[in-house]
Structure formats: structure tokens, C-alpha cells
Amino acid sequence: MASKHWLVVGISGVTCAGKTTLANRLLASLPTVAVYLGQDEYIYSDEFPGHLLSPPALGGLNRDSLRSIDMDRMVEDIHVILNTTSPRLGSFSSVSVPREWERVNAAALKVGNRPAPSLRECSAYMPVLLLDGYLLFNHADIPPLCDLLYFTTLPKDECWKRRKKRVYASQCQDVKLYFELCVWPKYKEHFQQMIESVSNICFKNGCTDPDTLYLSVFQDIMQKLEINKQYRSFHH
């Protein structure tokens, strides 16, 4: 495993393909300490001078690039967590981004019998770090840290159908034009870069029933946790 003390799961994919929903359901249901880090939390403010500019026909900023994300800080936070050998929920005060560790409503996410925090912390399973981000695997430091890598895909029409329903606080440009000139071209560019440089990615169809998608990833993680548990028991 990439870490001796943690199982690291990376969840990336095209915008609106269900990455965060999947991560939240896993966070709610895994029977051990589970910590979530989202790449969106590290996006620079609009005042940051390093953003790319959108094409002239659109104007404004293009935030669909690694230049818009403070990846140094995200990687630093990841290492703070991975260096914690006896984690407890809410114990990462040195991580630079505030988080709501228990913010997931399991009932709303259709996750029954959610493990209590006290039971998670006493679990025989190793803790799990869930990483979520649309450009997660395009940063060279992230894939080597992950034990499981997932990438959710969508066809362009379905992606736009979902994205147009969202409201982005920092987005003042024409939403359709921004999708056509920035979001989708950058997605294709980053996707090509990723498949040329990263191996062992498990691709998931974002049109799949969310319950089916969740169960397949949950079972993969539990299999890894069981193998690690048995290995540690044998060697102790």
C-alpha cells in the first residue's frame, strides 16, 4: 500500500459525474475512521493572479486548470493526515482547510446503520482517506499516494444537462459558453494527459445507477481493508 497506516482512495472524473456524492456515501458508511479532502476546497479566489484567462469570446477567468488550485497546500494536508498513525475523527487541527467531519446525513444518502464515531475509532480496519477532485490525477504527486484510483465519465450532452442545473458562486460568465470554451476542452486535454501518465485507474460510467456505483467501490475498499486486516493479524 502507498501508506503503511492509511488506505488512500482517489476519486476523480468529469464535472457533474457524481464524484462528491460517491465520496460522501463512502464517508458515511465505511466502518472505520474515514477522512475526506476535496480539491474544490483548494481553488484560489478570483483575485489570484495565476488563473488562466478565458478565450476572448467569453472573457473573464478560466478556472478549469491546475493553475487555479493550490495543489501544494493540498499535498501538504494529505501528508499531515498520512503521518497520523492513530487517527480520531476531528483530530486534524493542523490541516489548513476547516472541515465538517460528520457533515454527511446518512439517512438522506440512503445509508442505513451508519457506524457510530466511537465504533469507527475502535475499528480493526485501517483508516481511509478519500480524495475527490476533477483534476486529482493530473498532479504528479497524487496518483502514487493512492491505493485505489477511480475516474467517473460522462458523454458531453449528459455532462451539460447536469451542469446547467448548478449555480457557481464565482461564475459570472455565460454558463453555456463557459462550458463549450473552457470546461469541455480542458476536460479533454486533461483526460488525455492523465491516461498517458497514470496507470491502474478504474473507469466508472457516471450514468450508472448511483447505488450500483457506490456498492462496487465500497466492496473494492472493503476487500482492501480485509486483506490488510488479515495481514496485520498474521504478522502480529
Side-chain angles (χ1 to χ4, degrees):
M1 290 189 172
S3 168
K4 294 181 180 179
H5 306 292
W6 289 78
L7 180 73
V8 183
V9 180
I11 302 172
S12 190
V14 67
T15 178
C16 301
K19 301 182 297 297
T20 303
T21 299
L22 172 60
N24 285 345
R25 292 188 68 170
L26 295 169
L27 181 66
S29 59
L30 288 168
T32 186
V33 170
V35 175
Y36 170 83
L37 279 185
Q39 201 173 35
D40 285 356
E41 299 175 69
Y42 297 87
I43 295 176
Y44 290 114
S45 68
D46 287 355
E47 290 71 34
F48 175 67
H51 291 291
L52 292 176
L53 295 178
S54 298
L58 179 61
L61 304 175
N62 181 348
R63 302 167 191 82
D64 282 74
S65 158
L66 278 178
R67 285 176 54 174
S68 292
I69 306 170
D70 190 347
M71 288 304 301
D72 288 343
R73 190 158 60 96
M74 184 176 188
V75 171
E76 181 180 323
D77 283 349
I78 291 171
H79 283 292
V80 167
I81 294 170
L82 297 184
N83 288 330
T84 304
T85 57
S86 300
R88 297 176 61 85
L89 291 170
S91 64
F92 300 98
S93 58
S94 59
V95 173
S96 60
V97 178
R99 290 175 189 80
E100 303 169 39
W101 300 103
E102 291 297 302
R103 68 185 172 83
V104 179
N105 184 329
L109 293 173
K110 302 178 182 179
V111 179
N113 302 316
R114 185 181 182 185
S118 59
L119 294 178
R120 289 182 176 198
E121 291 172 356
C122 295
S123 172
Y125 295 120
M126 69 191 313
V128 177
L129 174 58
L130 299 168
L131 303 177
D132 164 20
Y134 64 109
L135 294 176
L136 199 62
F137 303 147
N138 290 91
H139 190 277
D141 290 351
I142 303 294
L145 297 175
C146 297
D147 300 291
L148 294 168
L149 298 86
Y150 296 97
F151 191 95
T152 54
T153 62
L154 286 175
K156 183 180 179 181
D157 289 347
E158 179 62 24
C159 185
W160 167 242
K161 179 180 175 182
R162 297 184 186 187
R163 187 176 171 98
K164 68 181 179 181
K165 297 176 182 177
R166 292 190 178 181
V167 177
Y168 293 86
S170 62
Q171 185 62 278
C172 58
Q173 296 122 310
D174 179 279
V175 177
K176 175 63 173 176
L177 201 56
Y178 185 82
F179 179 81
E180 292 290 346
L181 297 182
C182 297
V183 174
W184 198 255
K186 277 296 182 184
Y187 163 66
K188 292 196 297 182
E189 175 187 327
H190 291 131
F191 182 85
Q192 188 62 35
Q193 291 172 351
M194 180 190 71
I195 61 175
E196 290 175 357
S197 60
V198 183
S199 58
N200 301 321
I201 298 175
C202 179
F203 291 92
K204 296 289 186 180
N205 186 345
C207 295
T208 302
D209 172 69
D211 290 338
T212 302
L213 176 60
Y214 156 73
L215 284 173
S216 69
V217 175
F218 179 82
Q219 289 168 358
D220 288 348
I221 294 173
M222 288 308 303
Q223 183 180 40
K224 284 274 191 182
L225 291 175
E226 286 286 355
I227 291 172
N228 176 263
K229 177 183 173 182
Q230 293 172 14
Y231 175 83
R232 287 186 294 149
S233 297
F234 179 78
H235 287 274
H236 288 169

